[in-house]
């Protein structure tokens, strides 16, 4: 659209094409904000929405949303203090037991997450952690596989928002628990590589409580007229820093009550 054109000829659609070309071509590149210096946060979310629209037009189905940069560990690693939201589609689902398809990805990293499956529609504004939690049908253990389309995962906030927050794949444990049976702030996750624990965190790492992250998503999305739908999956954000997937490397997350998950790069 002509009105989108920035001084260097950038448009929302051009940015989408650039990011999707990198994804399909397995090619990371420089920050958009280095070349499209006017790319601000509202425009970056327009890029993100247009990007997922292209995926839907090509046959993918939206199955939920994710939060990113909700924990201090992630914020410090990425040098960005603001949480963000992004889209999940069915093509991103990694069935339990299937390897991370390293040959299709750029430089995937894996991070453990607490995952909600919604039983009811959740629409902001005004959603609190308590009202958010009452919309949750089940809580699961999960892994997100992130695969930034930027070289060395180096980005500013508008870059990562435009890139659908590095979304690539995600894995959710088969069985979940009702939220009222859990103390999610105290739920601990131990992250291990090839059996050796490399990091640990509790649910409190995510905005003080994962339900705060869910409320944050509902309220932030409502500003764009979007509600979280019943049945959707919500990834609440990496509990710990992410670790690189490598051929044959077994990455495991053992939660106190949510069970254990393992993924392997192949
Ligand atoms: O869960 C997360 O915090 C993912 C953040 C996405 C950005 C990234 O780390 O590449
Ligand atoms: Mg994540």
């Amino acid at each position: 659209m002509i009105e989108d054109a920035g001084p260097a000829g950038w448009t929302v659609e051009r940015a989408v094409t650039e990011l999707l070309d990198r994804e399909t071509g397995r090619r990371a590149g420089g920050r958009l904000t280095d070349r499209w210096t006017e790319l601000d946060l509202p425009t970056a979310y327009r890029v993100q929405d247009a990007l997922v629209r292209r995926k839907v037009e090509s046959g993918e189905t939206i199955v939920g949303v994710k939060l990113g940069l909700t924990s201090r560990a992630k914020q410090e690693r990425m040098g960005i203090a603001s949480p963000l939201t992004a889209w999940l589609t069915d093509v991103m689902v990694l069935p339990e037991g299937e390897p991370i398809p390293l040959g299709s990805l750029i430089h995937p990293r894996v991070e453990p997450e607490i995952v909600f499956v919604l039983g009811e529609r959740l629409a902001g504004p005004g959603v609190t952690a308590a009202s958010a939690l009452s919309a949750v049908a089940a809580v699961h253990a999960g892994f997100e596989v992130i695969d930034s389309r930027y070289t060395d995962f180096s980005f500013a906030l508008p870059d990562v928002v435009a890139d659908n927050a590095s979304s690539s794949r995600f894995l959710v444990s088969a069985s979940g628990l009702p939220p009222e049976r859990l103390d999610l702030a105290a739920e601990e996750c131990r992250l291990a590589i090839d059996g050796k624990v490399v990091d640990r965190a509790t649910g409190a790492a995510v905005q003080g409580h994962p339900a705060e992250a869910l409320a944050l998503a509902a309220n932030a999305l409502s500003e764009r007229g979007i509600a979280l739908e019943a049945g959707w999956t919500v990834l609440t954000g990496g509990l710990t820093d992410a670790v690189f997937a490598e051929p044959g490397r077994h990455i495991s997350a053992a939660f106190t009550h949510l069970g254990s998950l393992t993924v392997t790069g192949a």
Side-chain angles (χ1 to χ4, degrees), residues 66-69 74 111-113 143-146 165 235-239:
K66 61 172 262 188
L67 289 113
L69 308 179
K74 289 289 307 184
E111 54 194 22
E113 307 218 5
F143 271 131
E144 182 177 18
V145 180
I146 50 175
L235 305 188
T236 57
L239 288 156

Side-chain angles (χ1 to χ4, degrees), residues 9-32:
W10 279 96
T11 63
V12 166
E13 291 304 327
R14 181 178 162 197
V16 170
T17 300
E18 168 87 23
L19 291 167
L20 288 176
D21 283 352
R22 291 183 190 184
E23 183 177 344
T24 52
R26 297 186 57 224
R27 177 175 52 81
R31 299 175 176 208
L32 285 180

Side-chain angles (χ1 to χ4, degrees), residues 194-218:
D194 295 330
K196 183 171 178 289
V197 174
V198 294
D199 210 342
R200 60 177 69 208
T202 63
V206 175
Q207 301 290 294
H209 192 293
E212 293 285 359
L214 179 58
L216 188 158

